[in-house]
Amino acid sequence: VTWSNAVLRGADGRVEHVIGTGIDITEHRRLEREIIEISEREQRRIGQDLHDGVCQQLAGIEFMSQVLAQTLSGRGRPAAPAENAATIARLVREAIEQIRGVARGLSPVVLESEGLMSALTELAERIRHVFRIECAFECPRPVPVPDNHVATHLYRIAQEAVNNALRHGKATRIELRLARSGGRIVLGIHDNGVGLPAPLPSHRGMGLRIMQYRAGIIGGSLALERRPGGGTSVVCSLRAGAG
């Protein structure tokens, strides 16, 4: 049996429910397969994005470059070279942005001690822009996480918690918080959504189990909390320097 702490706390902070502190080997392997499948789906998505997005942009750049070359040589139809050059520049900018998006999907946390803070800042900005809701990242003091393995799992936990808040919680405000307290790194994702059902269903979603699994991999604990004013908090805590 693989052990990983995950609890549900009520609005008063008391533990209401233990969310599977033990994961047997069969479940452990199933979660590993699920993570691999998620990775493979992401790779297919990235391949599709490259084919349908970046490759199309590059094809357009090639065509416009040929038109511009013919115009400048006098062999093509009369046209405004400046206009063609401006179109090429626009296509290049769009291709760069698409490639950056793909790169963020492949490696969301930059290999540096402040990479997690930067990645969470970008995640909050993206949520605000795409979903048009309030989303903020708070980190009163720098919390360096030099181990990229740990930082990436923390980022994926935040990403999954945000996804749950949007899809299931119908949240209109999400707060991401990263802090260091008492020798521990604490990541919190708080929303104002509909909250967790009471009692918690015996069949929990794969997203929660994967968050629990990721927390266990880096030696951390995962807690779900019902917020006093409504909504849910997901808190991952681990010893600083773990991993």
Side-chain angles (χ1 to χ4, degrees):
V1 177
T2 299
W3 294 93
S4 173
N5 295 324
V7 300
L8 168 64
R9 298 181 184 275
D12 57 1
R14 295 181 179 179
V15 175
E16 292 186 0
H17 189 76
V18 178
I19 309 174
T21 53
I23 305 176
D24 62 29
I25 297 301
T26 301
E27 176 71 359
H28 185 83
R29 289 174 177 169
R30 191 167 71 85
L31 289 172
E32 286 183 336
R33 287 198 301 270
E34 178 67 18
I35 289 177
I36 291 172
E37 290 174 5
I38 290 172
S39 176
E40 290 175 347
R41 287 198 299 270
E42 184 68 5
Q43 289 177 7
R44 288 195 295 270
R45 183 193 66 79
I46 289 171
Q48 193 70 36
D49 287 348
L50 288 173
H51 178 272
D52 295 344
V54 177
C55 288
Q56 295 299 322
Q57 292 292 108
L58 293 176
I61 292 168
E62 179 187 24
F63 174 76
M64 292 304 301
S65 297
Q66 291 173 348
V67 170
L68 179 58
Q70 291 174 357
T71 300
L72 293 175
S73 67
R75 296 195 305 270
R77 293 178 301 174
E83 183 178 340
N84 289 338
T87 300
I88 292 171
R90 177 178 59 80
L91 292 173
V92 169
R93 285 195 302 271
E94 291 174 358
I96 290 171
E97 286 303 311
Q98 290 182 28
I99 292 170
R100 284 176 176 167
V102 171
R104 282 194 295 268
L106 285 170
S107 182
V109 180
V110 179
L111 290 172
E112 59 182 31
S113 62
E114 297 184 0
L116 178 60
M117 291 179 281
S118 298
L120 292 174
T121 298
E122 289 187 8
L123 176 61
E125 290 175 352
R126 190 160 63 251
I127 294 302
R128 286 198 302 271
H129 176 72
V130 174
F131 294 95
R132 303 296 181 183
I133 68 167
E134 295 180 43
C135 187
F137 171 57
E138 298 180 3
C139 187
R141 295 181 179 178
V143 182
V145 183
D147 189 324
N148 190 257
H149 171 76
V150 172
T152 298
H153 278 295
L154 287 172
Y155 177 84
R156 295 301 186 191
I157 288 171
Q159 195 175 41
E160 182 64 36
V162 167
N163 184 54
N164 287 341
L166 293 169
R167 290 180 55 194
H168 307 300
K170 311 301 181 185
T172 59
R173 186 176 67 254
I174 300 174
E175 299 171 0
L176 308 176
R177 297 177 186 168
L178 184 65
R180 183 165 178 167
S181 175
R184 297 184 70 81
I185 294 172
V186 181
L187 170 68
I189 303 91
H190 315 280
D191 68 69
N192 68 340
V194 298
L196 295 166
L200 196 69
S202 57
H203 176 71
R204 292 173 292 278
M206 182 60 70
L208 174 56
R209 293 199 294 273
I210 288 179
M211 284 193 292
Q212 177 188 351
Y213 176 75
R214 288 188 184 279
I217 286 177
I218 57 179
S221 62
L222 188 76
L224 276 71
E225 303 175 357
R226 292 192 177 96
R227 304 187 73 188
T232 304
S233 291
V234 177
V235 179
C236 181
S237 171
L238 70 154
R239 180 176 54 82

